[in-house]
Amino acid sequence: MVVSRSPAAGPAVEGRLRFGGVPLPLQEAVKVLGVEVDRELRFDGHIKHIAKNASHRVSALRRVASFLDRRGKLLLYKAQIRPYLEYAALSWMSCAASHTRRLDSIQRRAKRLVDAADPPDPPDPPALFEPVSPLDSLEHRRDVAALVVFHKAQVQGVPHLAGLRQPPRVATRSTITVLTSGDAVEAPRSRASQHQRTFVGRVSRKWNIFTAAVPHIQEMNTQSVKLAANRWRAVEAHPAEASDTVTLVTATVPQQTL
């Protein structure tokens, strides 16, 4: 497979790749460990495939929903459907926004099933629904997973993730609105929106904001980083609902002005 978006890239090497004297036909996509990688790195076919499988499973959940309570439906979704939407997500997170919205719509379908009222029974005492923890958005979960992996590469120095390490950023100025920390990295610059959505492009920017808001990142283990990233990502998604939390977190970061 020739990885390129140029129409002339394929014909330029057609017939020149041989194995044992036999020409190898070029492929439009190859599957690696369950992830379909296409020649343009758009992941259109992969997203279509996992969306189809997950949608079929939501339909199956609908058929058995009447036999389950809310907690049972939520457990079934988390165990049998959501893994399809998240498998190897950090490898294809650069896909188009329309693809991620398609996956979000599948989770919304499942959430409507989970939130649907259970069949009423004659209460003896009155039956009360147990509270069910809300579902985090798929983007929230991808960002948390990316920050955890980046922490393993950047702070813990895991050998097989060494290729993801980014050079530290030398901060020259810090203000109230632009926070800096000693753990910030150089975020790769690009005008291509797809490159900005790749793992390194997106997580580098998220990491710089995250480390500025969460002190002592060097002393945290993986579980602590995951919990902190979940809390921080929830605050970032709903800043109006957590303004007091933001004020408290930013107040702990020492400010320097020139």
Side-chain angles (χ1 to χ4, degrees), residues 163-200:
L164 300 178
R165 290 178 60 88
Q166 297 300 301
R169 185 178 69 184
V170 179
T172 57
R173 181 168 183 173
S174 178
T175 65
I176 295 178
T177 56
V178 180
L179 301 177
T180 59
S181 73
D183 300 305
V185 298
E186 286 290 345
R189 299 182 179 273
S190 174
R191 294 183 179 180
S193 59
Q194 184 179 15
H195 181 267
Q196 294 173 6
R197 294 192 301 266
T198 59
F199 175 84
V200 173

Side-chain angles (χ1 to χ4, degrees), residues 24 42 49 93 132 168 183 256:
L24 298 178
R42 298 185 185 274
H49 175 71
M93 63 188 300
V132 177
D183 300 305
Q256 298 177 357

Side-chain angles (χ1 to χ4, degrees), residues 64-101:
V64 301
S66 60
F67 303 101
L68 301 171
D69 59 8
R70 293 186 177 187
R71 190 171 299 277
K73 289 182 286 188
L74 182 64
L75 179 62
L76 194 58
Y77 168 73
K78 289 181 176 180
Q80 297 296 329
I81 301 174
R82 192 168 65 181
Y84 269 87
L85 305 176
E86 295 186 327
Y87 176 72
L90 303 188
S91 64
W92 49 259
M93 63 188 300
S94 61
C95 67
S98 59
H99 293 332
T100 55
R101 286 196 296 267

Side-chain angles (χ1 to χ4, degrees), residues 216-229:
H216 312 301
I217 197 72
Q218 295 284 345
E219 304 169 8
M220 291 184 177
N221 58 24
T222 299
Q223 182 64 19
S224 299
V225 171
K226 184 176 181 179
L227 294 175

Side-chain angles (χ1 to χ4, degrees), residues 27 36 72 85 98 188 206 247:
Q27 305 293 323
E36 184 178 326
L85 305 176
S98 59
K206 292 287 184 181
T247 303

